[in-house]
Amino acid sequence: MGGSVESRQVRVEQPLLLGGILAFAALVCLIAAGGLVLAQRGRVERASFIEPLSHERLEAGFALYRQHCASCHGAFLAGAPGWQADASLPPALNETGHAFNHSDLDLFQRVAAGARAPGGRISMPAFRGVLGDDEIVTVLSYIAAWWPEQERLRRSGPDWVFPATCSPGAAPETPDRAGRS
């Protein structure tokens, strides 16, 4: 009826053995996943979503810029007077600024989450919740339309690495930017 002690022992050991194998496999997967996460840490993802706009989306980007950005960054994206000497002032977003030295993802995060000036004062409000993700991309694409073609081509090149320079007037000198400020 109950079987031999030996057969009960085999039935009990099989589930334990299977459970042990599954636990070991799960541990190996967890270690592998952790290794992948650590390998990716610090790696800058090259997300590129700022794109040339159709006339209709350019108009939408202009409307969004005018409504949400122009009061600080200026109607022609020239920034607040004196922005090059004072990091707390809204910078230029056109060809005289340095926005094109930031990655698309960095620009998106600055618009969505806002930015702080040295000392912690909020220098740019967060627009997540005010603008949807698609609207943020549209306004960034509108801003990018003001950048010189040479900068847009440089940014789209396979070996472009953004300098992430954000000091007043500290856009790096590169051969294609020499002589400009």
Side-chain angles (χ1 to χ4, degrees):
M1 180 158 23
S4 70
V5 173
E6 214 174 272
S7 68
R8 275 190 241 147
Q9 196 174 14
V10 168
R11 277 186 254 147
V12 170
E13 287 176 3
Q14 284 177 341
L16 287 177
L17 181 62
L18 183 60
I21 291 171
L22 289 175
F24 180 73
L27 181 62
V28 167
C29 288
L30 204 64
I31 290 170
L36 285 173
V37 168
L38 288 175
Q40 295 296 319
R41 210 172 79 186
R43 181 176 163 196
V44 176
E45 193 60 41
R46 190 164 161 85
S48 182
F49 44 79
I50 295 177
E51 58 190 15
L53 298 176
S54 66
H55 182 73
E56 182 179 288
R57 286 204 57 209
L58 199 57
E59 289 292 326
F62 171 66
L64 289 167
Y65 180 85
R66 188 178 60 223
Q67 182 180 356
H68 300 286
C69 313
S71 62
C72 294
H73 292 281
F76 298 104
L77 294 81
W83 72 268
Q84 291 175 318
D86 185 351
S88 68
L89 295 174
L93 301 173
N94 60 17
E95 76 281 354
T96 67
H98 62 268
F100 42 77
N101 284 326
H102 294 277
S103 71
D104 292 4
L105 185 59
D106 184 43
L107 292 171
F108 182 91
Q109 289 172 335
R110 285 171 184 264
V111 173
R116 294 188 178 272
R121 184 181 67 76
I122 294 174
S123 60
M124 181 171 152
F127 285 93
R128 175 159 280 133
V130 175
L131 298 172
D133 290 354
D134 189 52
E135 290 174 310
I136 293 173
V137 170
T138 298
V139 78
L140 287 173
S141 295
Y142 168 76
I143 291 167
W146 283 74
W147 299 340
E149 183 66 20
Q150 185 176 3
E151 293 297 344
R152 289 193 301 257
L153 290 172
R154 182 176 68 93
R155 284 176 51 89
S156 65
D159 53 349
W160 179 74
V161 177
F162 68 96
T165 302
C166 207
S167 305
E173 284 298 316
T174 59
D176 54 323
R177 286 183 53 89
R180 290 194 326 189
S181 53

